Amino acid sequence: MSKTADLLPGTLDMLILKAVSLEALHGYGVLLRIKQISGDALDIPQGSLYPALYRLESQGLIQSEWGQSDNNRKAKFYTLTVSGRKRLREETAGWNRLATAMSAALSATGPEEA
Amino acid sequence: MLLWLNRIRSMITALRSRKDFESGMSEELQFHMDQFTQDLIRSGVPAAEAARRARIEFGAVANVEEDCRQSRGLHLIDELGRQISYAGRLLRKSPGFTLTALATLAICLGANLTIFAVVDAVLLRPLPFPQSEQLITIFNTYPKANVLRDGSSLTNYYERRGGQVPGLSSVALYRYGNANVGEPGSTEHEPITRVTPDFFATLGTGPQIGNVFTEEHTTFQTDKVVLLTDGYWRQHFHADPNVVGKTLRVDGVANTVVGVLPRGFRFLSSESRLYFPLASNPEHRTPLQRHSGGNSIHMIGRLKEGFTISTVQSQVDAQNTNLETGSPTAKMMADAGFRSIVTSLHADHVESIRDVLLLMQAGAIALLVIGAVNLMNLLLIRANSRAKELSVRQALGARTRHVISEVVVETTLLTLLGGLLGMAVGWAGTRLVATLGADRLPLGSAILFDGRLAIAGLAAAVLLGIALAVPIVWWNLRRQVASAMQSETRGGTAGRAAQSLRHSFIVGQIALALVLLTGAGLLGFSLKEAMAVPPGFQPDHVITGHIAMPWKSYSKTQTQLAFSERLLQSIRQQPGVLSAGSGVNIPLSGHSGKSAVTVKGHRPAPGEPPRGIYSYGVDGDYFQALGHKLVAGRFLNSSDSRQSSVSRVCVVDQDFANYYWPKGNAIGQRLFRSPDERPDLEAFMVVGVVAPAKQAALTDMEAPGAVYFPFGHASDNEIFVIARTSLAPELFGLTLQKLVREIDPDLPVTGVRTMEERVADSLTARRTPALLAALFSGVALLLTALGTYGVLSYAVSQRRREIGVRMALGANPGAIRIQFVWLSLRLLAAGTAIGAAGAWIASRAMQAMLFRASEAGPLVLSGAVATIGFVAIAACLLPANRAARIPPVEVLNG
């Protein structure tokens, strides 16, 4: 079994928002950053990254600007907008609530197991 | 919400710079691939292998790009573009179908737009005044005396204004008239309006220069002031900003300009360019004059905020009851059913043509439905012939959504193209309507083809496109279900369902065409009947004209008599004139008003209402000139007005005589020109009885009777002059004008028309709808024939194989033919049954426009059925014959 986990639906958007909230990144950078902050535990399907970026941009949560990459190539950099930051905060809080509730529920011990 | 705004904005940006979007996207994805490949190489993968791995990990670039476009909503636009060009190709591929469809749409939508332009201008658009929905009119009615409208009196005005009716913020009076304006020798005859000072405030308009009238202007000593419309000011005063205080010669008297009305000001359909104060003497304003409206003075008013017409109506009713209590005429007015009606100014102004217009629109819509049904049938047949193509595409993965949107795009493209052509037809139609004299309709001069109409046309086209798509989508989806169950579609349930759908369309089409045809038939029949009504006089070889003598120089009976005498004398001296007369009114003049006449010795039966009688003064050989028939006694003549003491005689018509003296002893009886009996000295003796003439309209059902007095007793400053000629009467028109100018160069003659023209013009309100209905039903018949033909030929071609087999097995060609004729007869029977019911409903709805048509109803209906039947059977004979001639061998081989 692979040590990477599949993404839950809807979580890719959250990860992208988180990644670009730290610094301006181009698409490939977003991919690397997610791998890095998740400790290589999450497997991002590369093909779905760009549609997600385009969708978030069209929703006004992130914005893009052309700039120079590290190796001096023209690349498109994404940054978080104000409403993106707000969304990230809400989603993080929501996720934390869900995660706490899920782990509490799953670690509960029933009468049969006791 | 905000999210959606953002999305739409980003979609629009992407659309605007589509090229930038695409190149940016490719560049971005390429950058990603390059970086990824390099990283792989750096981690030790060989270059060739690295590129391959990168492509695998990333997936198909085209798919990712499409997904990105979808994120921006661009795919919808792309798809629409593809479907439009596909639909365009399909339409180009079958030019016959496309041209038929476009022509049908252009005619049907164009007809609807033309009628709608009239409906919109006349019925829908609010009057061009602020808060125009608050504007009302009030008129007196005496229905039991057969006087439905009698305008309002000055007394009504003085009793209602200034808050005396709590729900009205203001009331005002107006009276249309004519004036001769300008310096001697170059006077022009101008339509004018006289109004009370609060008229403009009631409408909510102020002057652009100067002031409107004030209370000081309402006496005959102080009313020589005038307000100009913008048009008159520009034309006659060269838009002089200092025009206030200048004078204008009106009927020979200098009038001072007090102001100029704003540009575009027009009261209802009035042609007036000059407004004068409506002056009166105090005795005109007393309670005794309350019922003297005479349908020449009219009242408008403005509702106070928060009041409705019905509350004001009850306030006016209550006030009338109060005022009438104790009045000497109270009982008589109550017997006459007196009431003052409060109603919307706009609705009242257009009431006469509202029903006609709505009926015409209904007819045009019926035409559109018939046309649309034809298109649906054609489209269904096309859909059937494209079934195979569709199956293949669906097998290759076309989605249902695509199948639906494709059909909608195709039909909408078709109807939009047709709609554009329809707009051209509608534009031409409105021009045609204008040249046909639509400006004579109430508010008719406002008819125009503008952006509002264009939007209505486009909206109708889009809606129609979607409506046309419904049955085809239904058929396509249904066919899918059917083909899942059986591979051979022909004869399957979908085919049969589509067939019965097509057949029910034909039935509906026949029914609608029948309704239109019956309606047109009834209107035509009514017109024919109206034209056949004997007018009671002989309209051939008669020329007429109208002369308005200015009050200033012709206020006395003597001067009016003198003018009439001089004019009639000079007319009689002209060659070719057989007789000449004049009168305060002539039949079908549009000025026929009724007044009260009292017969000496007549005791009204209990509950017998007072009768409004046509009565007016006549001079010269009035009866001979018009060709009235003498029933008993003698005609009036010039000497009746000119004996030393004008003889108190009169002539009555047969209707009047029959009512009061049914025993036939009218001659020698006496009557009074007043609502009550007077001293014998004032009585008029009946010296003659003439055949009744149609006074207000040829289709008058009421015949209250008429009384003619010598002009000397019942003169007026406005007269009609009539001459009977031996030559063509129209040749005499110019002579008539010349003769009048010889007597008084200030006097223009208006309305110079032959009596036959007047008779014909009085039927315009019947002729135009009848012509339009005939046109509509003609087109409807043609469309129905095309529709029936199309569907039956398709049925024949679809059943070629079956017919071939039957023929090969020995079927009689005649039997085959009869089978198809039988089918069309069945459709015809169903359509006729539904259509007859519809025609009955339609004939009820148009009752008011019909004349003596009730007994002709069945006849007209059977005529219409016969016509439709003939057309439908003719349309089916061709395909039926083709079926009967199908060569079996060819079919079986093929």
Side-chain angles (χ1 to χ4, degrees):
Chain A
M1 186 176 151
S2 155
K3 38 183 200 344
T4 58
D6 284 338
L7 278 182
L8 285 172
T11 48
L12 178 60
D13 287 8
M14 253 156 67
L15 289 170
I16 293 174
L17 290 178
K18 181 67 190 175
V20 300
S21 75
L22 306 171
E23 61 172 314
L25 292 170
H26 49 68
Y28 189 65
V30 171
L31 189 75
L32 294 181
R33 176 54 61 87
I34 291 176
K35 274 191 177 159
Q36 182 219 337
I37 58 181
S38 70
D40 274 337
L42 294 174
D43 189 19
I44 310 292
Q46 295 193 18
S48 48
L49 177 68
Y50 285 91
L53 281 170
Y54 275 67
R55 189 170 56 246
L56 290 171
E57 189 183 0
S58 91
Q59 291 173 354
L61 299 176
I62 58 176
Q63 58 196 21
S64 66
E65 208 176 351
W66 289 95
Q68 294 279 317
S69 76
D70 296 343
N71 54 1
N72 275 334
R73 272 189 62 176
K74 196 177 155 207
K76 204 167 162 193
F77 286 88
Y78 294 91
T79 49
L80 208 58
T81 64
V82 178
S83 56
R85 194 164 299 281
K86 191 169 150 239
R87 170 66 68 87
L88 178 62
R89 253 197 321 272
E90 288 165 7
E91 298 260 327
T92 312
W95 175 262
N96 285 338
R97 267 199 308 281
L98 180 70
T100 318
M102 282 298 286
S103 79
L106 292 174
S107 60
T109 45
E112 300 127 59
E113 280 179 52
Chain B
M1 188 61 215
L2 204 69
L3 255 173
W4 267 104
L5 276 180
N6 270 329
R7 298 194 83 151
I8 291 167
R9 201 179 307 139
S10 89
M11 178 168 153
I12 291 169
T13 347
L15 269 178
R16 262 219 222 113
S17 47
R18 188 66 199 265
K19 257 198 192 128
D20 295 351
F21 175 86
E22 291 288 333
S23 68
M25 184 168 65
S26 313
E27 195 169 350
E28 191 177 9
L29 297 184
Q30 191 55 50
F31 173 76
H32 182 109
M33 297 287 267
D34 293 350
Q35 289 285 357
F36 189 34
T37 317
Q38 271 171 31
D39 280 1
L40 286 172
I41 294 171
R42 220 172 289 147
S43 68
V45 181
E49 175 65 10
R52 200 182 73 87
R53 284 251 309 264
R55 277 202 299 276
I56 291 172
E57 287 250 344
F58 194 81
V61 176
N63 282 351
V64 173
E65 283 186 341
E66 189 54 38
D67 285 348
C68 286
R69 284 188 202 109
Q70 206 155 344
S71 300
R72 287 288 169 89
L74 289 178
H75 64 298
L76 293 176
I77 308 292
D78 292 348
E79 198 175 301
L80 189 65
R82 274 199 299 276
Q83 288 183 345
I84 288 176
S85 67
Y86 177 66
R89 273 204 305 280
L90 280 181
L91 293 181
R92 271 200 306 275
K93 224 173 69 181
S94 45
F97 162 80
T98 308
L99 285 181
T100 314
L102 288 183
T104 308
L105 283 167
I107 290 172
C108 295
L109 282 173
N112 270 281
L113 277 177
T114 306
I115 305 285
F116 183 70
V118 182
V119 168
D120 186 45
V122 175
L123 301 183
L124 298 184
R125 282 184 213 226
L127 295 176
F129 302 111
Q131 276 98 53
S132 62
E133 71 286 349
Q134 293 174 345
L135 292 175
I136 51 123
T137 180
I138 310 181
F139 60 88
N140 294 335
T141 178
Y142 308 87
K144 289 184 189 157
N146 263 319
V147 178
L148 293 180
R149 272 194 99 106
D150 203 42
S152 286
S153 61
L154 284 157
T155 311
N156 288 145
Y157 167 68
Y158 284 98
E159 285 172 350
R160 281 177 195 149
R161 67 182 197 152
Q164 295 179 79
V165 178
L168 291 175
S169 62
S170 68
V171 291
L173 294 178
Y174 67 91
R175 186 175 71 197
Y176 293 133
N178 292 289
N180 300 315
V181 183
E183 297 308 312
S186 64
T187 54
E188 285 177 286
H189 195 69
E190 280 280 339
I192 62 152
T193 306
R194 294 192 172 272
V195 299
T196 55
D198 31 19
F199 179 79
F200 300 100
T202 304
L203 293 179
T205 343
Q208 56 167 317
I209 295 177
N211 289 299
V212 293
F213 306 128
T214 63
E215 281 305 313
E216 282 91 73
H217 295 135
T218 56
T219 72
F220 285 117
Q221 290 74 45
T222 55
D223 69 341
K224 304 296 175 286
V225 286
V226 58
L227 265 167
L228 316 174
T229 57
D230 187 81
Y232 196 89
W233 174 57
R234 285 174 196 280
Q235 190 184 337
H236 291 268
F237 289 90
H238 310 294
D240 175 7
N242 301 314
V243 69
V244 172
K246 305 222 156 140
T247 57
L248 183 66
R249 192 169 165 271
V250 180
D251 287 343
V253 182
N255 278 242
T256 311
V257 175
V258 295
V260 180
L261 292 167
R263 187 165 208 158
F265 173 85
R266 184 172 189 188
F267 178 63
L268 302 179
S269 309
S270 157
E271 297 284 344
S272 300
R273 299 194 295 164
L274 299 170
Y275 284 79
F276 296 91
L278 179 60
S280 56
N281 289 329
E283 61 265 29
H284 295 140
R285 309 171 186 175
T286 61
L288 284 176
Q289 299 293 321
R290 191 175 297 134
H291 299 283
S292 63
N295 213 18
S296 64
I297 302 184
H298 307 277
M299 181 177 284
I300 60 167
R302 188 175 272 278
L303 296 177
K304 257 189 208 150
E305 203 76 51
F307 283 86
T308 63
I309 287 179
S310 60
T311 30
V312 171
Q313 176 72 67
S314 49
Q315 287 168 0
V316 167
D317 286 347
Q319 195 204 24
N320 274 349
T321 315
N322 255 339
L323 292 170
E324 285 287 309
T325 309
S327 132
T329 55
K331 183 171 177 318
M332 186 179 142
M333 292 308 159
D335 286 346
F338 162 63
R339 220 179 147 210
S340 300
I341 304 285
V342 183
T343 180
S344 147
L345 180 63
H346 185 185
D348 181 64
H349 185 60
V350 300
E351 205 214 345
S352 60
I353 55 161
R354 201 195 65 208
D355 288 354
V356 179
L357 286 183
L358 291 182
L359 208 64
M360 289 299 110
Q361 186 76 72
I365 289 175
L367 191 65
L368 179 64
V369 172
I370 292 176
V373 162
N374 262 4
L375 287 186
M376 270 186 201
N377 273 336
L378 288 174
L379 285 165
L380 270 177
I381 290 170
R382 255 159 68 92
N384 203 14
S385 63
R386 266 160 50 191
K388 204 169 243 169
E389 173 205 330
L390 198 63
S391 314
V392 172
R393 285 177 43 211
Q394 276 175 326
L396 290 176
R399 286 180 237 168
T400 311
R401 193 169 56 81
H402 279 136
V403 174
I404 295 174
S405 65
E406 211 172 82
V407 173
V408 176
V409 165
E410 189 190 343
T411 54
T412 312
L413 183 67
L414 192 65
T415 53
L416 272 178
L417 289 175
L420 287 180
L421 292 175
M423 270 187 234
V425 173
W427 178 81
T430 46
R431 301 299 298 267
L432 181 73
V433 164
T435 49
L436 283 179
D439 53 343
R440 270 181 286 167
L441 292 177
L443 303 179
S445 59
I447 296 169
L448 73 166
F449 196 94
D450 60 0
R452 191 176 145 109
L453 222 59
I455 289 171
L458 278 184
V462 170
L463 283 181
L464 187 61
I466 293 170
L468 284 180
V470 170
I472 299 150
V473 167
W474 170 84
W475 186 81
N476 278 341
L477 297 182
R478 200 178 156 119
R479 196 192 48 81
Q480 279 178 323
V481 180
S483 61
M485 291 185 293
Q486 65 190 114
S487 53
E488 176 82 356
T489 42
R490 183 183 298 162
T493 51
R496 217 172 297 147
Q499 189 185 27
S500 59
L501 185 64
R502 283 196 299 273
H503 286 174
S504 51
F505 280 163
I506 291 290
V507 169
Q509 207 171 32
I510 289 175
L512 272 177
L514 185 62
V515 174
L516 273 182
L517 205 61
T518 314
L522 287 173
L523 288 177
F525 184 83
S526 300
L527 177 65
K528 195 191 110 224
E529 282 292 295
M531 279 162 60
V533 169
F537 53 88
Q538 287 158 17
D540 58 301
H541 289 91
V542 178
I543 183 90
T544 64
H546 183 237
I547 299 162
M549 298 177 260
W551 190 250
K552 187 205 129 210
S553 30
Y554 294 94
S555 62
K556 295 209 175 64
T557 300
Q558 282 317 309
T559 50
Q560 293 165 359
L561 264 175
F563 173 80
S564 173
E565 181 162 23
R566 269 193 73 186
L567 179 61
L568 294 182
Q569 256 171 21
S570 60
I571 293 177
R572 273 190 213 106
Q573 284 161 8
Q574 299 298 316
V577 171
L578 301 176
S579 51
S582 68
V584 176
N585 195 11
I586 53 172
L588 309 180
S589 66
H591 295 275
S592 306
K594 294 177 220 169
S595 48
V597 168
T598 307
V599 168
K600 185 177 158 67
H602 176 74
R603 296 270 163 275
E608 180 189 328
R611 286 164 71 87
I613 305 290
Y614 296 111
S615 74
Y616 36 83
V618 299
D619 197 14
D621 299 325
Y622 177 90
F623 297 101
Q624 292 91 330
L626 275 175
H628 275 281
K629 223 177 97 200
L630 185 65
V631 177
R634 67 166 176 91
F635 287 136
L636 295 179
N637 54 47
S638 296
S639 58
D640 286 321
S641 290
R642 286 176 188 81
Q643 283 163 359
S644 50
S645 71
V646 177
S647 53
R648 300 192 75 89
V649 293
C650 68
V651 161
V652 300
D653 74 357
Q654 184 93 61
D655 289 328
F656 188 90
N658 284 349
Y659 182 81
Y660 287 101
W661 306 290
K663 288 183 211 135
N665 51 345
I667 305 292
Q669 302 281 358
R670 283 165 200 278
L671 53 81
F672 303 94
R673 266 188 83 203
S674 62
D676 41 16
E677 249 184 69
R678 292 295 175 88
D680 273 1
L681 213 64
E682 292 179 30
F684 290 86
M685 192 177 73
V686 178
V687 294
V689 179
V690 294
K694 293 289 174 187
Q695 297 285 348
L698 286 179
T699 50
D700 270 353
M701 297 308 251
E702 301 290 341
V707 181
Y708 304 88
F709 297 99
F711 190 63
H713 283 293
S715 68
D716 194 16
N717 64 319
E718 295 198 18
I719 58 167
F720 286 88
V721 56
I722 314 119
R724 177 168 292 275
T725 59
S726 54
L727 303 167
E730 42 278 282
L731 300 177
F732 197 67
L734 283 176
T735 317
L736 185 59
Q737 288 183 324
K738 194 191 81 193
L739 293 178
V740 172
R741 283 198 185 268
E742 275 172 13
I743 299 172
D744 184 342
D746 262 4
L747 278 187
V749 187
T750 55
V752 177
R753 281 186 291 165
T754 67
M755 209 57 205
E756 277 174 333
E757 281 177 276
R758 286 184 183 272
V759 171
D761 282 357
S762 78
L763 291 172
T764 306
R766 291 186 179 278
R767 191 176 294 111
T768 312
L771 278 177
L772 267 180
L775 190 67
F776 284 179
S777 46
V779 177
L781 263 186
L782 184 69
L783 288 175
T784 308
L786 279 176
T788 314
Y789 170 77
V791 166
L792 283 172
S793 353
Y794 180 69
V796 169
S797 72
Q798 222 188 7
R799 290 165 67 179
R800 248 176 106 77
R801 182 185 284 264
E802 172 212 319
I803 295 166
V805 171
R806 280 168 57 194
M807 302 268 270
L809 292 177
N812 182 352
I816 304 268
R817 186 181 299 123
I818 282 171
Q819 186 193 352
F820 281 95
V821 174
W822 188 237
L823 169 65
S824 77
L825 281 179
R826 278 209 318 272
L827 298 181
L828 186 65
T832 305
I834 300 172
W840 187 78
I841 295 169
S843 71
R844 308 293 309 169
M846 50 198 265
Q847 201 60 48
M849 298 167 60
L850 299 183
F851 177 64
R852 288 188 192 160
S854 50
E855 61 273 23
L859 191 76
V860 170
L861 183 65
S862 26
V865 170
T867 314
I868 296 260
F870 175 75
V871 167
I873 290 171
C876 93
L877 276 182
L878 251 89
N881 277 335
R882 205 180 309 140
R885 279 201 300 271
I886 287 177
V889 180
E890 206 176 285
V891 172
L892 294 181
N893 284 345

